[in-house]
Amino acid sequence: MPLIAKVATSVSKTAAALSRAAGRGDGSVIGGWIGLKIDPDLLAHLAAGRAVALVSGTNGKTTTTRLTAAAVGVLGRVATNSFGANMPTGHTSALAKEGHTPFAVLEVDEHYLAQVIDQTRPKVVALLNLSRDQLDRAKEVAMMAQLWKTALAGHPEIRVVANADDPMVVWAAAGSRQTTWFSAGQRWHDDSFVCPESGHPIERSGGDWWCTGCPLRRPRPHWVVEDEGVIDPRGDWHLVKLQLPGRVNIGNAATALAVAGEFGVRPIEALPRLSRVASIAGRYAQVDRDGRNIRLLLAKNPASWLEAFDMADQAPTLLSINARDPDGLDTSWLYDVDFAPLRDRPVLITGDRAFDLAVRLQVNQVPFRHVNSFDEALRSVPPGRLEVIANYTAFQDIRAELDRVN
Ligand SMILES: [Zn+2]
């Protein structure tokens, strides 16, 4: 590494450590920011010599990144941004902190994928899904898909691991020369009714889909979720035992196995490591308090709310909604979610924007009760499971109540 990059790495690590010592979070953003101020090419310098995988998409990227890092760990040490700091500052900090590792698995914000590809020269890029997110800030889904498509077109050497069930992802990845397709199912279809290539309607039947006006259609997947397991490209089925709940996480595991497969890791080697992942920065964490078993589910946008309803047990459920900066300021997305699956269980609501949620639930004919605090919620449910589904800052608030559970 050039001298300037060595200095920048050292200052970046120190800044991150100081930030941690001052109790201001994990320091990965400030550390990376200072490092990049000193050496704007620091991320490229730190990535050089490592085999890098990037993981991007609207939902599931933090979990999939963690599972992929666990799977690639079969081969040696892996640097990863495990706490969701998914912009170049976070990547820089993660690589600086770990020192030299043969591998890196990095979660990447969708908007930064092109830039991070240019700087880290990844071996593999995994594309999970694209759906509406943070209406006041995020790009339109079709624009996002176009950005990805352009980014990949400039790098034919990259192996792309992509979701065959999402037409927007398939279109973005279609020009790549080396594509491995996985099928993990897609519950949310509202952002892919129309073909991004030709504008014609997309038809669906069973798990299949095709454009009614051009050749775009679902490719044959190499990795497929089936029952409680995954079929690999050779046709062998592997039981996937996870501590993480729901079919969506079996899909995330299938993606991790597919990415690790590009590095030469076999499912039989990776699976025991996947089963050891219990929670990710508080997501899926379970805490026992006052006879209640509280489970934390993060849901940030309409597609992820659908997944959360699928994961949640039929038990008392606390919903918490904020609309602070990291959540997006516009709560009209609540009308994109069908809350009807919650009609069969006691529902409590809280958070800064609980009353927006109250109106939505009333329209959806879901009975609910408002509580002023997490403690009040806890006191008003019987002993046993309490499911908590919250959006980003609401999730962090409740996680803080539970002593920053990981
Ligand atoms: Zn079409």
Short mmCIF file of all heavy atoms in Angstrom, two decimals, residues 20-55:
data_model
loop_
_atom_site.label_atom_id
_atom_site.label_comp_id
_atom_site.label_asym_id
_atom_site.label_seq_id
_atom_site.Cartn_x
_atom_site.Cartn_y
_atom_site.Cartn_z
N ARG A 20 -15.90 4.86 19.44
CA ARG A 20 -16.46 3.77 20.26
C ARG A 20 -16.25 4.04 21.74
O ARG A 20 -17.15 3.91 22.54
CB ARG A 20 -15.80 2.43 19.90
CG ARG A 20 -16.39 1.76 18.67
CD ARG A 20 -15.93 0.31 18.58
NE ARG A 20 -14.49 0.16 18.46
CZ ARG A 20 -13.83 0.30 17.31
NH1 ARG A 20 -14.47 0.60 16.20
NH2 ARG A 20 -12.51 0.16 17.26
N ALA A 21 -15.02 4.51 22.07
CA ALA A 21 -14.71 4.78 23.48
C ALA A 21 -15.60 5.89 24.03
O ALA A 21 -15.94 5.89 25.21
CB ALA A 21 -13.23 5.16 23.63
N ALA A 22 -15.99 6.82 23.17
CA ALA A 22 -16.84 7.93 23.60
C ALA A 22 -18.31 7.52 23.64
O ALA A 22 -19.18 8.33 23.91
CB ALA A 22 -16.65 9.12 22.67
N GLY A 23 -18.58 6.27 23.32
CA GLY A 23 -19.95 5.77 23.38
C GLY A 23 -20.82 6.26 22.24
O GLY A 23 -22.04 6.34 22.36
N ARG A 24 -20.19 6.64 21.12
CA ARG A 24 -20.97 7.17 19.99
C ARG A 24 -21.14 6.12 18.90
O ARG A 24 -20.84 6.37 17.74
CB ARG A 24 -20.27 8.41 19.43
CG ARG A 24 -20.32 9.57 20.39
CD ARG A 24 -19.50 10.73 19.89
NE ARG A 24 -19.81 11.92 20.66
CZ ARG A 24 -20.68 12.86 20.25
NH1 ARG A 24 -21.30 12.74 19.11
NH2 ARG A 24 -20.92 13.90 21.00
N GLY A 25 -21.58 4.94 19.27
CA GLY A 25 -21.83 3.91 18.27
C GLY A 25 -20.57 3.13 17.94
O GLY A 25 -19.59 3.17 18.71
N ASP A 26 -20.56 2.42 16.82
CA ASP A 26 -19.42 1.53 16.54
C ASP A 26 -18.31 2.25 15.78
O ASP A 26 -17.28 1.66 15.49
CB ASP A 26 -19.87 0.25 15.83
CG ASP A 26 -20.23 0.46 14.39
OD1 ASP A 26 -20.76 1.54 14.06
OD2 ASP A 26 -19.97 -0.41 13.57
N GLY A 27 -18.50 3.54 15.44
CA GLY A 27 -17.41 4.34 14.90
C GLY A 27 -17.08 4.08 13.46
O GLY A 27 -16.14 4.67 12.92
N SER A 28 -17.86 3.22 12.78
CA SER A 28 -17.44 2.84 11.43
C SER A 28 -17.66 3.95 10.41
O SER A 28 -16.94 4.04 9.43
CB SER A 28 -18.13 1.55 10.99
OG SER A 28 -19.50 1.64 11.16
N VAL A 29 -18.64 4.82 10.66
CA VAL A 29 -18.88 5.88 9.68
C VAL A 29 -17.81 6.97 9.81
O VAL A 29 -17.16 7.35 8.83
CB VAL A 29 -20.30 6.47 9.84
CG1 VAL A 29 -20.47 7.69 8.95
CG2 VAL A 29 -21.34 5.42 9.49
N ILE A 30 -17.56 7.43 11.03
CA ILE A 30 -16.58 8.51 11.23
C ILE A 30 -15.18 8.04 10.84
O ILE A 30 -14.42 8.75 10.19
CB ILE A 30 -16.63 9.07 12.68
CG1 ILE A 30 -15.69 10.27 12.85
CG2 ILE A 30 -16.30 8.04 13.72
CD1 ILE A 30 -16.15 11.51 12.13
N GLY A 31 -14.84 6.80 11.22
CA GLY A 31 -13.52 6.26 10.88
C GLY A 31 -13.30 6.21 9.39
O GLY A 31 -12.26 6.64 8.87
N GLY A 32 -14.29 5.73 8.67
CA GLY A 32 -14.18 5.65 7.21
C GLY A 32 -14.14 7.01 6.57
O GLY A 32 -13.39 7.26 5.62
N TRP A 33 -14.92 7.94 7.14
CA TRP A 33 -15.00 9.29 6.58
C TRP A 33 -13.64 9.97 6.66
O TRP A 33 -13.14 10.54 5.69
CB TRP A 33 -16.07 10.08 7.35
CG TRP A 33 -16.35 11.44 6.80
CD1 TRP A 33 -17.18 11.74 5.77
CD2 TRP A 33 -15.80 12.68 7.25
NE1 TRP A 33 -17.19 13.08 5.54
CE2 TRP A 33 -16.35 13.69 6.44
CE3 TRP A 33 -14.89 13.03 8.26
CZ2 TRP A 33 -16.03 15.04 6.60
CZ3 TRP A 33 -14.57 14.37 8.42
CH2 TRP A 33 -15.13 15.35 7.61
N ILE A 34 -12.99 9.87 7.82
CA ILE A 34 -11.68 10.52 7.99
C ILE A 34 -10.64 9.85 7.09
O ILE A 34 -9.85 10.52 6.43
CB ILE A 34 -11.25 10.48 9.48
CG1 ILE A 34 -12.15 11.42 10.28
CG2 ILE A 34 -9.79 10.84 9.64
CD1 ILE A 34 -11.88 11.44 11.77
N GLY A 35 -10.68 8.52 7.04
CA GLY A 35 -9.74 7.80 6.18
C GLY A 35 -9.84 8.23 4.73
O GLY A 35 -8.83 8.47 4.05
N LEU A 36 -11.07 8.38 4.25
CA LEU A 36 -11.28 8.76 2.85
C LEU A 36 -10.94 10.23 2.60
O LEU A 36 -10.60 10.61 1.47
CB LEU A 36 -12.74 8.48 2.44
CG LEU A 36 -13.08 6.99 2.26
CD1 LEU A 36 -14.59 6.78 2.17
CD2 LEU A 36 -12.40 6.42 1.01
N LYS A 37 -11.01 11.07 3.63
CA LYS A 37 -10.58 12.47 3.49
C LYS A 37 -9.07 12.52 3.25
O LYS A 37 -8.57 13.32 2.46
CB LYS A 37 -10.92 13.26 4.77
CG LYS A 37 -12.36 13.69 4.85
CD LYS A 37 -12.62 14.92 3.98
CE LYS A 37 -14.11 15.06 3.74
NZ LYS A 37 -14.46 15.81 2.56
N ILE A 38 -8.34 11.66 3.98
CA ILE A 38 -6.87 11.67 3.84
C ILE A 38 -6.46 11.03 2.52
O ILE A 38 -5.60 11.54 1.81
CB ILE A 38 -6.22 10.93 5.03
CG1 ILE A 38 -6.55 11.66 6.33
CG2 ILE A 38 -4.72 10.82 4.84
CD1 ILE A 38 -6.19 10.88 7.58
N ASP A 39 -7.08 9.91 2.19
CA ASP A 39 -6.75 9.22 0.93
C ASP A 39 -8.06 8.83 0.22
O ASP A 39 -8.67 7.83 0.57
CB ASP A 39 -5.92 7.96 1.23
CG ASP A 39 -5.65 7.18 -0.05
OD1 ASP A 39 -5.98 7.66 -1.15
OD2 ASP A 39 -5.09 6.06 0.06
N PRO A 40 -8.47 9.63 -0.78
CA PRO A 40 -9.74 9.33 -1.46
C PRO A 40 -9.76 7.94 -2.12
O PRO A 40 -10.84 7.42 -2.38
CB PRO A 40 -9.84 10.44 -2.52
CG PRO A 40 -8.96 11.53 -2.02
CD PRO A 40 -7.85 10.86 -1.26
N ASP A 41 -8.59 7.34 -2.35
CA ASP A 41 -8.54 6.00 -2.95
C ASP A 41 -8.38 4.90 -1.89
O ASP A 41 -8.03 3.77 -2.21
CB ASP A 41 -7.37 5.89 -3.93
CG ASP A 41 -7.56 6.82 -5.12
OD1 ASP A 41 -8.73 6.99 -5.55
OD2 ASP A 41 -6.57 7.39 -5.59
N LEU A 42 -8.63 5.26 -0.63
CA LEU A 42 -8.34 4.31 0.45
C LEU A 42 -9.12 3.00 0.30
O LEU A 42 -8.56 1.92 0.52
CB LEU A 42 -8.62 4.95 1.82
CG LEU A 42 -8.27 4.08 3.03
CD1 LEU A 42 -6.81 3.67 3.02
CD2 LEU A 42 -8.59 4.82 4.33
N LEU A 43 -10.39 3.10 -0.07
CA LEU A 43 -11.18 1.87 -0.20
C LEU A 43 -10.56 0.94 -1.25
O LEU A 43 -10.43 -0.27 -1.03
CB LEU A 43 -12.64 2.21 -0.54
CG LEU A 43 -13.59 1.01 -0.69
CD1 LEU A 43 -13.55 0.11 0.52
CD2 LEU A 43 -15.03 1.51 -0.95
N ALA A 44 -10.15 1.52 -2.38
CA ALA A 44 -9.51 0.71 -3.43
C ALA A 44 -8.22 0.09 -2.92
O ALA A 44 -7.94 -1.10 -3.17
CB ALA A 44 -9.25 1.58 -4.66
N HIS A 45 -7.43 0.87 -2.19
CA HIS A 45 -6.16 0.33 -1.66
C HIS A 45 -6.41 -0.80 -0.67
O HIS A 45 -5.70 -1.81 -0.67
CB HIS A 45 -5.37 1.45 -0.97
CG HIS A 45 -4.75 2.40 -1.94
ND1 HIS A 45 -4.75 3.77 -1.76
CD2 HIS A 45 -4.12 2.20 -3.12
CE1 HIS A 45 -4.16 4.36 -2.79
NE2 HIS A 45 -3.75 3.43 -3.63
N LEU A 46 -7.43 -0.61 0.19
CA LEU A 46 -7.70 -1.64 1.20
C LEU A 46 -8.29 -2.91 0.59
O LEU A 46 -8.09 -4.00 1.10
CB LEU A 46 -8.67 -1.08 2.25
CG LEU A 46 -8.09 -0.07 3.23
CD1 LEU A 46 -9.20 0.60 4.03
CD2 LEU A 46 -7.10 -0.73 4.19
N ALA A 47 -9.03 -2.75 -0.51
CA ALA A 47 -9.67 -3.92 -1.13
C ALA A 47 -8.69 -4.72 -1.98
O ALA A 47 -8.88 -5.93 -2.21
CB ALA A 47 -10.86 -3.48 -1.99
N ALA A 48 -7.62 -4.06 -2.44
CA ALA A 48 -6.67 -4.72 -3.34
C ALA A 48 -6.09 -5.97 -2.67
O ALA A 48 -5.75 -5.95 -1.49
CB ALA A 48 -5.56 -3.75 -3.71
N GLY A 49 -6.02 -7.06 -3.41
CA GLY A 49 -5.44 -8.28 -2.87
C GLY A 49 -6.42 -9.14 -2.10
O GLY A 49 -6.06 -10.22 -1.62
N ARG A 50 -7.65 -8.69 -1.94
CA ARG A 50 -8.66 -9.54 -1.29
C ARG A 50 -9.65 -10.02 -2.34
O ARG A 50 -9.94 -9.32 -3.30
CB ARG A 50 -9.46 -8.76 -0.25
CG ARG A 50 -8.63 -8.05 0.78
CD ARG A 50 -9.53 -7.51 1.89
NE ARG A 50 -8.94 -6.30 2.45
CZ ARG A 50 -8.80 -6.06 3.75
NH1 ARG A 50 -9.22 -6.93 4.64
NH2 ARG A 50 -8.26 -4.94 4.19
N ALA A 51 -10.19 -11.21 -2.12
CA ALA A 51 -11.32 -11.68 -2.94
C ALA A 51 -12.58 -11.13 -2.28
O ALA A 51 -12.89 -11.45 -1.14
CB ALA A 51 -11.34 -13.20 -2.97
N VAL A 52 -13.29 -10.27 -3.02
CA VAL A 52 -14.40 -9.51 -2.44
C VAL A 52 -15.74 -9.98 -3.00
O VAL A 52 -15.86 -10.23 -4.21
CB VAL A 52 -14.23 -8.00 -2.74
CG1 VAL A 52 -15.42 -7.18 -2.22
CG2 VAL A 52 -12.93 -7.47 -2.13
N ALA A 53 -16.73 -10.09 -2.12
CA ALA A 53 -18.12 -10.29 -2.55
C ALA A 53 -18.93 -9.10 -2.06
O ALA A 53 -18.78 -8.68 -0.90
CB ALA A 53 -18.70 -11.58 -1.98
N LEU A 54 -19.77 -8.55 -2.92
CA LEU A 54 -20.67 -7.47 -2.53
C LEU A 54 -22.10 -8.00 -2.53
O LEU A 54 -22.47 -8.80 -3.40
CB LEU A 54 -20.58 -6.29 -3.51
CG LEU A 54 -19.19 -5.70 -3.74
CD1 LEU A 54 -19.27 -4.54 -4.74
CD2 LEU A 54 -18.55 -5.25 -2.44
N VAL A 55 -22.90 -7.56 -1.56
CA VAL A 55 -24.29 -8.01 -1.44
C VAL A 55 -25.18 -6.78 -1.44
O VAL A 55 -25.02 -5.90 -0.59
CB VAL A 55 -24.51 -8.80 -0.13
CG1 VAL A 55 -25.97 -9.22 0.00
CG2 VAL A 55 -23.58 -10.01 -0.06
#
